[in-house]
Amino acid sequence: TIIGQGAKPGLRVLVRGNLVYSLDFQSGAMGNDSGLAISVAEGGTQPPSGFNAWGNFEWSREKEQAVFKMHDLSIFTMGSSHEELTAQEFTELLWNKIVDIVEEKYS
């Protein structure tokens, strides 16, 4: 995790010194204090630019816990909207995505 002065919270995945996946979070995004925007980039040396997903944190009566109600343009699935993910679900999807990228490029 990268957190520092002027830096956004994020994640960088390196394999053998090569950057294979970057993810940045921006809170308060999309004009909403409870909002979060996510930017991703695969490979390269440039930081992510633009937004690949955004959403808000809400309480789910069905799941009986807080969820991230996400509009996903291209992180997990193309164009899915209003996907409600718990922290565990989001983390598992992200982990699986990163493992798939690493296995595809380095196996």
Side-chain angles (χ1 to χ4, degrees), residues 5-59:
Q5 185 176 9
K8 297 174 188 167
L11 171 79
R12 301 295 183 264
V13 178
L14 298 154
V15 175
R16 298 184 198 120
N18 298 312
L19 181 64
V20 297
Y21 191 80
S22 301
L23 181 136
D24 287 340
F25 296 99
Q26 182 177 339
S27 62
M30 310 309 279
N32 187 332
D33 288 342
S34 68
L36 182 72
I38 305 169
S39 303
V40 299
E42 292 183 28
T45 58
Q46 298 299 316
S49 62
F51 297 120
N52 301 88
W54 71 91
N56 296 306
F57 295 97
E58 298 178 6
W59 183 260

Side-chain angles (χ1 to χ4, degrees):
T1 301
I2 300 174
I3 299 176
Q5 185 176 9
K8 297 174 188 167
L11 171 79
R12 301 295 183 264
V13 178
L14 298 154
V15 175
R16 298 184 198 120
N18 298 312
L19 181 64
V20 297
Y21 191 80
S22 301
L23 181 136
D24 287 340
F25 296 99
Q26 182 177 339
S27 62
M30 310 309 279
N32 187 332
D33 288 342
S34 68
L36 182 72
I38 305 169
S39 303
V40 299
E42 292 183 28
T45 58
Q46 298 299 316
S49 62
F51 297 120
N52 301 88
W54 71 91
N56 296 306
F57 295 97
E58 298 178 6
W59 183 260
S60 170
R61 289 182 181 159
E62 179 183 321
K63 296 182 180 185
E64 296 184 349
Q65 60 183 304
V67 295
F68 182 49
K69 192 169 185 180
M70 182 170 85
H71 301 271
D72 184 3
L73 299 177
S74 60
I75 294 180
F76 304 125
T77 58
M78 274 301 198
S80 70
S81 61
H82 303 294
E83 187 167 3
E84 294 184 354
L85 299 171
T86 64
Q88 181 175 346
E89 291 167 340
F90 180 86
T91 304
E92 287 175 2
L93 281 172
L94 182 59
W95 177 255
N96 290 335
K97 171 87 174 185
I98 292 168
V99 168
D100 288 346
I101 291 167
V102 170
E103 286 179 345
E104 179 181 308
K105 293 183 180 187
Y106 293 94
S107 292

